[in-house]
Amino acid sequence: MTFLYHGLEARGAVWAEIFAARVPQLPFARWGHDPVDPAQVRWLAAWNAPAEFIAQFPNLEVLFSVGAGIDQLPLDALPPQVRVVRMVEQGIITGMAEYVAMACLALHRDLPFFITEQRAGRWTYRHTRLAAETRVGVMGLGELGKAALDMLKPLGFPLSGWSRSAHRIAGVACFAGADGFDAFLAQVDIAVCLLPLTPETRGILCRETFDKMPRGSAVVNAGRGGHLVADDLIAALDSGQLRAAMLDVTVPEPLPEGHPFYSHPAIFLTPHVAAETRHGSAGEVLADNVLRLLAGDPLLGEVDRTRGY
Ligand code: NAP
Ligand code: GLV
C-alpha cells in the first residue's frame, strides 16, 4: 500500500519528511521522484491531477486535495467509492482571513479610485466613510467564511453571511438558502464570495445578483473564477451599479494578456494568492488525517460527494 503525492516538488520534499517522522509504516512516494507500482496506490494527494493520471490507479481509495477546494480535481471521472478529502489547514484559513480584511478595507476606503487618480497625476478629493457605515456580507460560512468574519469583526463593519443551511454566529446577521439570498444581497455594500464551486454556485456573481445589491456596492471574489460572469461584472462596473471589485480567481488562470480585468480601473486583481497551502502545516494536517484513516476514524474535511463540497 502506497501514499502517492503529485504536485510541487518543494512541497513533496517537506511532506516526505513529515510522513517519515509521523507515519513511518506507510510508504510515501512522490510522483516523478520515486518508483511507483500503480496497483499499490491506495491514497493520493494532488492539486489538479488530470483524469487520465488518476485512472492508472485501480485501487485508489482516497483522494486528498492539496487545497481547500476540490472542484479543480476531475471528480466526475472518479469512481463513486473513492473518498474525497479537502484541506482544512490553518495557513489557508489565516491567509484567506487576511486577504478578505485587506480587500474589504481597500474597497471600503476606495483604494481603486484613489490609485487611478494618483496614476493620472490628479489630487482628487472624495468623501470617506468609517467601517461602521459599510456593510460586509460573506457568501459561504464554512472554514474560510467564518475566519474572514472573525478577522473583520474588530474592524467595525456591520456583518452578515449567507450559506446553504442556517447558521448562528455572534455579531453576524445570518441568511440561508435560495429564499434568503435576495434579502442578504439587499443589505450588503461589499459582498465577499467564499463559496465552493458547485453546479448551484457556478455563475452566482452575475447581473441578476449585482442588480439586487445596493447601487454603488462592491464585490470580492476569492472563491473560484467560475463563480463570476466576467461580462456581467464589467457591465455592472461600467454602469455604476457596482463601484469596484477585487478578484483573486478567474477563468482561465492565468488570465490571457489583454484581458479587460488587467486594465479596468475599478478592478483589483491578484493571481490566486489569497490563501496558499502552507507546506509545513498542511503536511501535518495530512499526516493527522492518514493516522485517522489507519485507525478507522472519521477524516477532517471529507467531502460529501453528492453535495459537491
Ligand atoms: P467549506 O468549509 O466547505 O464551506 C463552504 C460554505 O459554502 C458553507 O458555509 C456552505 O453552506 C456554503 N455553500 C455551499 N453551497 C452553497 C449554496 N448552494 N448556497 C449557499 N451556500 C452554499 O469551504 P471553505 O473551506 O470555507 O472554502 C470555500 C472555498 O474557498 C473553496 O471551495 C475554494 O473554492 C475557495 N478557496 C479559494 C482560495 C484562494 O486562494 N482564492 C483558497 C482556498 C479556498 P453550509 O454551511 O450550509 O454547508
Ligand atoms: C486554493 O484555491 C484552495 O482551494 O486551497
Side-chain angles (χ1 to χ4, degrees):
M1 148 160 84
T2 299
F3 188 108
L4 178 63
Y5 166 76
H6 171 278
L8 288 179
E9 210 177 306
R11 182 190 295 128
V14 174
W15 286 9
E17 274 183 31
I18 291 173
F19 270 66
R22 302 267 324 271
V23 206
Q25 68 275 36
L26 180 69
F28 180 93
R30 290 177 269 169
W31 184 253
H33 185 276
D34 304 312
V36 176
D37 173 0
Q40 287 299 317
V41 174
R42 299 249 298 270
W43 307 335
L44 169 67
W47 165 242
N48 59 358
E52 316 77 74
F53 172 78
I54 295 178
Q56 66 187 300
F57 308 115
N59 299 314
L60 186 66
E61 289 172 9
V62 188
L63 175 57
F64 291 92
S65 172
V66 162
I70 50 145
D71 58 283
Q72 70 283 353
L73 290 163
L75 299 182
D76 290 347
L78 211 57
Q81 76 280 5
V82 175
R83 299 165 73 184
V84 177
V85 182
R86 60 199 199 83
M87 182 64 74
V88 179
E89 185 268 306
Q90 198 53 47
I92 297 177
I93 294 171
T94 304
M96 184 58 83
E98 288 179 1
Y99 183 89
V100 171
M102 181 267 296
C104 289
L105 281 171
L107 295 175
H108 156 65
R109 295 304 297 253
D110 268 338
L111 207 54
F113 170 77
F114 288 120
I115 286 181
T116 302
E117 295 306 287
Q118 175 199 337
R119 299 275 179 256
R122 290 190 290 262
W123 183 274
T124 308
Y125 171 80
R126 184 184 263 192
H127 176 65
T128 60
R129 298 189 293 182
L130 296 178
E133 300 164 275
T134 298
R135 298 161 296 178
V136 176
V138 175
M139 298 162 64
L141 296 175
E143 299 294 337
L144 304 185
K146 282 188 287 194
L149 285 161
D150 280 347
M151 186 81 87
L152 291 170
K153 252 177 219 169
L155 299 176
F157 295 108
L159 299 173
S160 60
W162 179 70
S163 52
R164 205 166 78 134
S165 60
H167 287 244
R168 285 168 69 105
I169 305 174
V172 178
C174 292
F175 298 79
D179 291 348
F181 195 44
D182 289 4
F184 166 78
L185 292 173
Q187 53 85 62
V188 290
D189 300 309
I190 300 177
V192 179
C193 178
L194 288 177
L195 291 165
L197 187 62
T198 66
E200 287 77 39
T201 64
R202 183 175 289 281
I204 194 165
L205 299 175
C206 62
R207 187 174 61 123
E208 211 186 340
T209 295
F210 303 146
D211 284 350
K212 290 174 181 162
M213 294 170 63
R215 188 165 177 81
S217 48
V219 165
V220 178
N221 188 18
R224 286 286 187 259
H227 286 130
L228 177 72
V229 181
D231 289 346
D232 288 3
L233 175 68
I234 301 278
L237 290 169
D238 290 348
S239 73
Q241 174 57 23
L242 290 184
R243 191 175 83 254
M246 178 127 192
L247 310 176
D248 184 58
V249 284
T250 59
V251 177
E253 290 181 10
L255 268 189
E257 205 183 319
H259 190 284
F261 285 177
Y262 280 120
S263 53
H264 198 290
I267 293 180
F268 267 2
L269 187 63
T270 50
H272 204 144
V273 292
E276 294 180 76
T277 301
R278 305 288 146 180
H279 300 345
S281 42
E284 297 292 345
V285 165
L286 194 59
D288 287 343
N289 250 350
V290 165
L291 289 168
R292 285 190 192 100
L293 251 185
L294 293 170
D297 291 337
L299 300 179
L300 178 68
E302 180 154 3
V303 167
D304 176 344
R305 288 195 61 190
T306 55
R307 212 174 51 165
Y309 70 97

